[in-house]
Amino acid sequence: MALTLARTMPGVLELLPLDQIAFQRMLDVIRRNYERFGFLPVETPAIEHSDVLLTKTGGETERQVYFVQSTGALDKEGAPELALRFDLTVPLARYVAEHERELSFPFRRYQMQRVYRGERAQRGRFREFYQCDIDVIGKDALSVRYDAEIPAVIYSVFRELNVGAFTIQLNNRKLMRGYFESLGIVDGERQMLVLREVDKLDKRGADAVRDTLVGEVFGLDAAVVQKILAFVQVRSTSLQDAFDKLDALGAGPEIMEQGRAELKEVLAMIRDFGVPESHFVLNLSIARGLDYYTGTVYETTLNDHPQIGSVCSGGRYENLAGQYTKSHLPGVGISIGLTRLYWQLRDAGLINTAQSTVDVLVTQMDPAQLPAYLALATELRSAGIATEVVLEGGKLAKQFKYADRAGIRFVVVLGEDELAKGVVTVKDLRRQDQFEVARGELIKTLRVELEQAAAMG
């Protein structure tokens, strides 16, 4: 029988163990910080009903859905009834609507799971990837103060991820739409089209955006386009500068004034949440492409690696689950696309292969002493030290080579001489040195060594 070629489909990230550990530690940092701010874990199924997932949410993701069909349903006519989720927000809307009476509001949830999109296969784009989301959902109303809390979470996460300087950029959809209204762009759908276009400013450049807006599709007056471009190129250098630039926009329609007031309140409170002014700015080009955002919007970028783009984004939406319930459920949230972020950080040299999660390898010198080796390993594990035992023996040099290749730093040797003297030999493969320690002092000594190793990275 011919062998099948072992291969993965394009657009997935499959890692070797030490790289997977590095990825897992990023997940742990994000989870830890989400929980510090009082967010509760939620998981939803990877597969949802197609009519739930395909409820209009705006953007292009719905054209990238993977449908799911069992072998028993292949002969049936019509579209598949099930599909893989393409984000975590639509399943959250379904979840909140379904469990509304059982939840406490404001409902603070975090969710860290894989999602699936039919992306065109290309470098750095993934069809299966982790999203790490937080959202605060209100019942009937939700204070804009929660909009200010979200950047505090972002700051806490990325500071601990230790990937270099970063900046949280903020804007408000109401401010943008109100400004467009003041320029005579009144129709809501047309406002959204212009908004999506200016959201591409950093990717396409001002000239390309200008050409599009004055072209046949939009047909805007050149003077109006110039004002739009001046508006979306506003950036702040400090909190006071942000206030000054917001005031300098001049008076506008009611929705513009609402957006300005919300943005000022959010910016001021971010500082009260303990985020340094150096880490957040006003950026009036930030719009986010999805239609459901209605107020505050966020994007986070790495200062020294702008080519990576936004590493964390999100915003305020007015009615999360309007398609599934008559209740009014406003919310605010952000998402970290961790798979893409990890890949880009590794590609940029900001993340290295991790050390093994195994702390110690207990070698096998004499098969007859295997019970003693197992007892030693049990003792170490009971003390919280992750330990592997060599069960098949072999030359000691080969056992050392295995530990080195597997990324295990410390190797313990309990041979005839050690047993006779009541000691254990510990070899540090990274420093290439070894020492003897009394059996009763082994746990204490290893803990010190492991703490020093962790501190030195």
Side-chain angles (χ1 to χ4, degrees), residues 58-79:
E60 299 180 358
T61 49
E62 291 178 358
R63 291 193 288 273
Q64 300 172 335
V65 167
Y66 280 112
F67 288 101
V68 178
Q69 206 165 24
S70 68
T71 53
L74 287 175
D75 295 333
K76 293 183 178 180
E77 296 181 359

Side-chain angles (χ1 to χ4, degrees), residues 221-417:
D221 184 80
V224 169
V225 172
Q226 193 57 40
K227 289 180 179 179
I228 291 174
L229 289 175
F231 174 88
V232 299
Q233 292 184 71
V234 170
R235 309 284 188 276
S236 67
T237 57
S238 67
L239 184 58
Q240 186 57 54
D241 183 53
F243 290 155
D244 291 343
K245 284 177 175 172
L246 285 172
D247 290 338
L249 295 174
E254 182 180 357
I255 188 173
M256 179 176 169
E257 297 305 329
Q258 288 176 1
R260 181 175 7 220
E262 288 179 4
L263 202 43
K264 282 186 172 183
E265 183 176 352
V266 168
L267 289 166
M269 282 201 70
I270 292 173
R271 181 179 60 181
D272 295 338
F273 270 107
V275 181
E277 288 187 33
S278 58
H279 283 72
F280 66 97
V281 298
L282 177 71
N283 180 344
L284 296 190
S285 73
I286 302 300
R288 306 300 305 144
L290 296 175
D291 289 354
Y292 56 71
Y293 291 124
T294 56
T296 310
V297 283
Y298 319 95
E299 285 192 357
T300 305
T301 53
L302 303 182
N303 296 3
D304 298 329
H305 300 274
Q307 76 282 0
I308 290 178
S310 177
V311 296
C312 176
S313 58
R316 159 73 70 139
Y317 39 85
E318 212 43 56
N319 195 6
L320 173 74
Q323 295 87 357
Y324 317 118
T325 175
K326 293 181 180 179
S327 299
H328 181 59
L329 301 170
V332 62
I334 49 102
S335 178
I336 300 172
L338 186 60
T339 302
R340 181 169 177 265
L341 175 60
Y342 169 81
W343 187 89
Q344 289 177 311
L345 292 176
R346 191 177 68 169
D347 195 51
L350 297 178
I351 289 180
N352 298 316
T353 297
Q355 297 298 308
S356 173
T357 51
V358 180
D359 298 320
V360 174
L361 177 72
V362 176
T363 59
Q364 182 181 143
M365 296 287 287
D366 180 359
Q369 294 295 336
L370 183 58
Y373 306 143
L374 295 177
L376 176 59
T378 298
E379 186 180 332
L380 294 175
R381 290 169 185 147
S382 298
I385 298 172
T387 304
E388 179 183 346
V389 183
V390 175
L391 295 177
E392 294 190 73
K395 293 182 179 179
L396 190 60
K398 185 177 180 181
Q399 296 178 45
F400 282 171
K401 185 176 180 179
Y402 166 79
D404 188 45
R405 187 177 177 86
I408 304 171
R409 178 166 181 172
F410 295 100
V411 178
V412 168
V413 178
L414 190 61
E416 185 178 337
D417 292 343

Side-chain angles (χ1 to χ4, degrees), residues 13-30:
L13 185 65
E14 190 172 72
L15 302 171
L16 292 173
L18 298 185
D19 291 315
Q20 185 65 43
I21 292 168
F23 183 85
Q24 196 68 39
R25 286 178 176 163
M26 293 183 72
L27 278 171
D28 293 342
V29 167
I30 296 169

